[in-house]
Structure formats: C-alpha cells, structure tokens
DNA sequence: TCAAAGATTAATCATTTGATTAAAAGTATT
DNA sequence: AATACTTTTAATCAAATGATTAATCTTTGA
C-alpha cells in the first residue's frame, strides 16, 4: 500500500505508453505487447495493473475526449464572453491543444465513430451546443442561417489541418508554424463572416 | 475464362463487401471473415480471388484515395476556371461526394496517417497544390498570406462536418440536409474571405 | 457426353494476441 | 531474521484470425 502511493512509476509508465501507442495506432491496430514494450515492462504487468486492453483504453479515451471537448464547452457557454472573445479564445485554445497533441483529433473522432452510441450516452454534445450562449449570440448577429454552420466552420478551420496533417505537411515543424500563424487568421475570418 | 468475363458477381460481391466493411471499420478492425460474411461467400473464396487481406485492401484504398483527391486536383489545376468558379465547383463536387460517401474522409485520412510514406511516394499532393493555378490566383487576390491557408479553410469548411459526423449529427438525414444547405454557404463565405 | 478447367466449400494450419498462472524477486512490518 | 504482502517475470492458455488444402460441385469446350 505504501509502495503503491510512492512508486507510481510502473503504473505511469504503462499509462504513458498506452497513451502514445493507442493515439498513434488506434484501438484495433494496437497490441497490448506494443504497449508493454513501449513501457519497458512485462506484458503480464499490464493486466496486473489495468485488467484488460479495453479498460486501459477507456482510461486513455476518456482523458482524450475530455481534453478535446472541454475547450469548446468552456468557451461556448461562458456567459461573460462576447461573441468576438469566444472566437478568439476558441481559436487560441484549440490551436494550442492541437499543436501539443497533433494526433488527438483523428484519434478521438475515429474512436467515437467506431462506437457512437457509447459516446452519445456519456456526452450530450448536440444538446449542449444547441442551448449554448454562443448559439444565441450567433443568431442575434446572423438570423436566418442555422448558427451551427458558423460553429462547424470555425471548428473546421481549426481542426481540419490537424486531421489532414499527414497529407498536407511533410514535417511537424511546418505543421506547427502553420497552425500558430493560422490562429490569428481564424479569429479574423470568423469575425468577418459574422459581421453584417 | 469465359466464365470470368461473364460472371463477375462473386468478385464484385467480395469487392463491394470489402468496400463496405473496410470503410466502416478501417483496416485493422476488419476481419476477413466479416467481409466474407457480408459478401455471403465462403472465406476461402476471398483468398482465391484476391490472395490476401492486404491486397484486397489496397484495391479499395486506391479507389477511395482516387475518389477523394481527384475532385480537388480537377478543380485546382483547371486553367479555364476563374477563382470564383473553382470555389463553386469544389464546394459542389466535394459536397456531393461526401453526401454519397459519408465515411470516405475519415477512412482515407486515417489510413494515410497509418502509413504516410507509401502515400507520399505514390501521390505528390503538396507539390501539385503548391504549383497549381488556384494558388497563383489566390496570391494575386490576397498577397502577403500563405495561400495554403485559404485552401485549408475551404477544405475544412467542406470536409470537417463529414469527419465529425458522428459527433455533430444524430442521423444521416440531418447530416445530408446540413451538407446540401452548406454547399452554397461555403462558396459564399470563401468568396467573401478572398474579396478585398 | 466427357474430360479439363474453374468455382466453391468444409476442414484445418500456423501465427498472433489478449489474458492467466505459478513461481520468483522485492519490500515492508514486526 | 521471519513473515506476509506486493511486484515482476517466464511460461503457457485459449480464442481469434489470415491463409491454405484437398475434396466436391459446376461450367466449359471439344
């Protein structure tokens, strides 16, 4: 017990390896042996600490889903922020996340797609978006157009380059600088599209 | 031989099943038995006609990569088209493709990511884009900004809703109508972003 | 009609893979 | 030091999975 408190290294090594391998290859293409090797531990230890591939995966998945969606939720329903401020913060925060975690989008979107119901039971994205203050602010400025189109445009501008990274960019550095440069453009362009 | 010419049904049944299952689940999550069952044939027939899972997969993959990229290539380098016409055609053609093939984007982007080099050896997307007439047209209108930002914005607007479909939409019909409605908006918005 | 070629199947193989076990090594408590 | 408990390992299991084989059924062409 005392050991367990102090020596987190093995558990942590496994989680870190799982994070890396699962996100890089996805659930189906990942072998538990890959994770064990990456962590530098015996395969049996993985099951000793985390019981099964699936349980280990759901820890990583929950972590990444939360990371991926918390940004948009924080911004979208923050009543203190003006529409322009929401745009700026979303662009800023997402860009930062996607530069630090280049594979998170494809991983999350892909795994949700492979089991959409379990995601929809846990998270109610559609409802939360629909009733958000962001949506009301957009409708106020641009009535007559489904405000979801604007949100999707904003997210598309931001997230798409990370999803298509392997097609668009040769190296990480180019991707990084493109994303950072883009941060400003996204805010600028979204404001422009929303202005009358 | 005569048989082979006339009776394409078995080969076709396998290809169609492979197309469906591979695109829905990806390479790693697909079992050859799934394909055989979907095709209503014996598992051995799959190997009889296509030798291996990997060979069968590369047929589907090549087909889908071609479908996915041909649209952009056709538009991007068509010297007869004005910038506005390019925008309109790309929006039109991509929307149509993504409505008919809702899973193609995630499938293609994901499988490219899992083996980027083999893709880059076959297709030189970056070079083709860079030297395209579209890029020159954009620079002419908006000098000082990397024209790739505009292309990525356009593609993001168009493709992102299909990539995030399982998160954004509950049913296919909602997705479909959203995409069709969006077609016009994309052209409108891109022209607006490119106008001085 | 009949033999050769092609198509199809059930059974089986070999390997991979997630998981378990039993023993060994390490650590803490008394 | 002795014991109990935790951590780690090598060996192994059982199921899944891609692929093959050998036999059977079907079609073709002379």
């Amino acid at each position: 017990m005392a050991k367990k408190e102090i020596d987190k290294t093995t558990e942590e090594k496994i989680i870190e390896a799982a994070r890396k391998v699962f996100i890089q290859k996805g659930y189906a293409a990942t072998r538990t042996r890959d994770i064990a090797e990456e962590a530098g531990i015996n395969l049996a230890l993985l099951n000793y600490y985390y019981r099964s591939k699936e349980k280990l995966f759901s820890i990583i998945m929950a972590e990444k889903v939360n990371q991926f969606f918390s940004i948009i939720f924080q911004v979208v329903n923050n009543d203190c922020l003006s529409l322009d401020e929401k745009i700026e913060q979303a662009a800023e925060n997402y860009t930062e996340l996607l530069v630090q975690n280049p594979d998170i989008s494809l991983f999350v979107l892909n795994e949700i797609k492979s089991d959409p119901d379990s995601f929809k039971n846990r998270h109610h994205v559609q409802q939360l978006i629909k009733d958000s203050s962001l949506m009301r602010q957009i409708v106020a400025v641009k009535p007559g157009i489904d405000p979801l189109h604007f949100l999707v445009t904003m997210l598309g501008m931001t997230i798409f380059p990370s999803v298509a990274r392997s097609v668009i960019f040769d190296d990480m550095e180019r991707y990084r600088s493109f994303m950072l440069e883009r941060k400003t453009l996204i805010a600028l362009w979204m404001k422009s599209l929303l202005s009358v």
Side-chain angles (χ1 to χ4, degrees), chain A:
Chain A
M1 186 156 75
K3 182 78 179 302
K4 218 177 184 180
E5 300 303 310
I6 299 160
D7 184 12
K8 290 265 179 192
T9 50
T10 297
E11 273 180 271
E12 255 309 310
K13 272 192 288 182
I14 296 172
I15 281 283
E16 276 164 25
R19 199 179 282 128
K20 177 172 172 181
V21 180
F22 275 138
I23 290 173
Q24 187 179 78
K25 319 219 287 190
Y27 179 81
T30 294
R31 292 170 294 254
T32 51
R33 280 164 175 82
D34 296 338
I35 298 175
E37 192 185 2
E38 176 71 35
I41 52 118
N42 187 289
L43 170 60
L45 266 186
L46 188 151
N47 294 287
Y48 176 73
Y49 281 109
Y50 296 100
R51 295 294 312 233
S52 73
K53 179 187 180 185
E54 210 182 325
K55 289 220 173 67
L56 181 53
F57 176 77
S58 38
I59 293 173
I60 306 299
M61 183 65 185
E63 184 184 303
K64 291 296 152 186
V65 163
N66 185 59
Q67 227 179 338
F68 190 73
F69 287 102
S70 65
I71 290 176
I72 188 74
F73 288 149
Q74 274 168 28
V75 169
V76 140
N77 253 320
N78 188 336
D79 291 324
C80 306
L81 298 176
S82 72
L83 182 51
D84 281 6
E85 286 166 337
K86 283 194 173 70
I87 291 171
E88 284 155 18
Q89 281 209 16
E92 170 73 33
N93 296 348
Y94 256 118
T95 302
E96 213 51 50
L97 174 75
L98 300 179
V99 164
Q100 299 302 324
N101 303 267
D103 291 335
I104 193 175
S105 317
L106 211 43
F107 171 75
V108 165
L109 293 173
N110 218 46
E111 299 296 342
I112 289 175
K113 187 203 149 199
S114 87
D115 184 8
D117 292 335
S118 107
F119 174 76
K120 281 174 184 161
N121 287 337
R122 278 183 246 273
H123 308 87
H124 304 89
V125 181
Q126 277 144 278
Q127 203 55 44
L128 276 164
I129 297 283
K130 206 175 180 182
D131 305 336
S132 67
S133 78
L134 173 69
M135 290 315 229
R136 283 194 298 276
Q137 286 169 313
I138 295 175
V139 170
V141 176
K142 282 280 179 187
I145 302 179
D146 181 348
L148 189 58
H149 281 294
F150 287 95
L151 179 61
V152 167
T153 295
M154 164 109 200
L155 294 176
M157 279 181 179
T158 317
I159 297 171
F160 180 76
S162 105
V163 169
R165 198 184 86 245
S166 56
V167 174
I168 307 176
F169 306 104
D170 269 327
D171 56 298
M172 270 300 291
E173 189 39 43
R174 180 84 186 87
Y175 164 75
R176 210 184 100 84
S177 63
F178 186 85
M179 290 296 279
L180 294 177
E181 174 176 298
R182 197 169 171 75
K183 196 192 292 187
T184 335
L185 287 173
I186 292 170
L188 200 71
W189 286 344
M190 282 310 299
K191 288 180 202 171
S192 152
L193 292 180
L194 283 163
S195 74
V196 266

